[in-house]
Amino acid sequence: MEKRETTVEELVELVNRLAANEPNVRGRVGEGPLAPLAAALNHLSTALDARRTVAPDPFGVEVLVAQSPVMMMACDAEERIRFINYTIPGLSLSEVVGKSCHHWTPPEDVELIRGHIRNVLATGEPVSYEHRPSRPLGPEWYGVQLAPIRDGERIIGFTMSLMDITNLKRTQLRLEQSNRELENFASVASHDLQEPLRKIQTFSERLSSTYAEALGPEGRDYLTRMNNAATRMRKLIDDLLAYSRISSKAQTLHLVDLSELARGVLGDLETTIEQSGATVTIGQLPMLEASPMQMRQLLQNLLSNALKFRKDDVPPAISLHATVDPDSNRCELRVEDNGIGFEEKYVDRIFNVFQRLHGRGKYEGTGIGLAICRRIAERHGGSIQARSAPGQGATFIVTLPYRQQASR
């Protein structure tokens, strides 16, 4: 039987059936210039059928993606959806794929999301952010992760992963409200406790100045002890209030000049430095993204600590210097002294509230200063540690992010 020439209409029909993903589709291979193309399309259909018969790995990545609680999509550089692992209610996957990823986004939210996408496509850096949709179309809060899709050196699209963080955000907001209430309570309690202490000190001073002779040496000693106890109590209340504020108050971050802060702290400690004959060396310190108030308090506490725990017969020698590693985004501050030191087995203890390694009789303080330092470091995403030996001085090492991450 003589073969007839393959027609354009037959090829178009074959292509349409292949595009519809029909199984076992084959076309007639006739004669003429279009016959090789018909044969090539039949070969492609055979290859697609073979691929369909390969069973997916039951433990493969497809299972993880399909059953993930995280909504994931892959989009091209034109922000069109090319893959999605969940179904938008009322729509099939074929109705979603190819549409803009903003198609179902409220118009008032589009520019915010598009700005993050452009940043990923331009820089190739992942972006994480929290998003609260302007309309109640699903979860109240999303945690969103955007990351680039690369083809060699080119960025050809991006992935978008969305996780429902509504419960987490509600818990966070409740904690923030609780912390605000705790801070208010601490402020009120501090004021209410300070007032009777001030009266105790005022009347003890009046007794001491007006009736000193009548009281005699023993009476004056009792008044001095009472006044000292009230002073310590006021200092303790102030330190507890400072600790509670660091624990609960949201930080306002700025670019802080640590060198300028250190000079201010030295001015505050000028009298103590002169009386002890101390030498304080300040190295080159960086500009750090942090809370200015808390950084000043950190430096003040560390330098005061070094001045306090000095040897009796040796003038204090204290140094403050820093190193910065921009690649790892870390800044390391070191405060070194030649003081009395301590055994390193107690290193965890010294950063706890009310923990002291030495008696109050010789070294004044409430035992909260280093606990405040640790809390400040942790609130900035950093840490603090110490190196020491008895009689060999101490080194306090504070590691902080050089620049705070946008996701914090």
Side-chain angles (χ1 to χ4, degrees), residues 9-131:
E9 289 76 10
E10 289 173 330
L11 289 180
V12 170
E13 175 65 18
L14 180 56
V15 169
N16 286 335
R17 294 178 64 190
L18 283 172
N21 207 25
E22 292 185 19
N24 304 315
V25 61
R26 299 291 185 275
R28 185 182 65 82
V29 179
E31 293 183 338
L34 298 179
L37 180 56
L41 289 174
N42 283 342
H43 179 74
L44 174 61
S45 178
T46 302
L48 291 175
D49 284 342
R51 186 178 300 175
R52 277 191 288 263
T53 60
V54 177
D57 183 353
F59 299 100
V61 68
E62 294 87 354
V63 176
L64 293 175
V65 172
Q67 299 189 18
S68 172
V70 179
M71 296 179 286
M72 293 179 280
M73 66 179 75
C75 303
D76 57 29
E78 283 71 43
E79 303 177 11
R80 295 174 305 209
I81 299 172
R82 302 292 292 272
F83 169 83
I84 192 167
N85 75 328
Y86 67 99
T87 304
I88 295 176
L91 297 173
S92 66
L93 286 178
S94 61
E95 294 174 294
V96 173
V97 174
K99 295 286 183 64
S100 167
C101 65
H102 307 296
H103 191 80
W104 297 274
T105 303
E108 55 269 31
D109 294 339
V110 170
E111 280 308 308
L112 172 67
I113 298 171
R114 181 165 282 156
H116 291 303
I117 292 173
R118 288 171 179 166
N119 186 35
V120 172
L121 294 175
T123 66
E125 296 293 328
V127 171
S128 298
Y129 63 95
E130 295 176 352
H131 181 58

Side-chain angles (χ1 to χ4, degrees), residues 170-188 240-251 375 379:
R170 287 175 178 172
T171 301
Q172 177 187 336
L173 295 173
R174 285 197 298 268
L175 285 173
E176 289 175 355
Q177 175 64 26
S178 176
N179 284 337
R180 285 192 294 270
E181 293 172 357
L182 177 62
E183 185 181 350
N184 292 336
F185 170 78
S187 298
V188 172
L240 280 173
L241 182 60
Y243 184 81
S244 73
R245 282 174 173 163
I246 291 169
S247 299
S248 62
K249 197 169 186 178
Q251 299 154 195
R375 195 68 181 121
R379 291 283 287 173

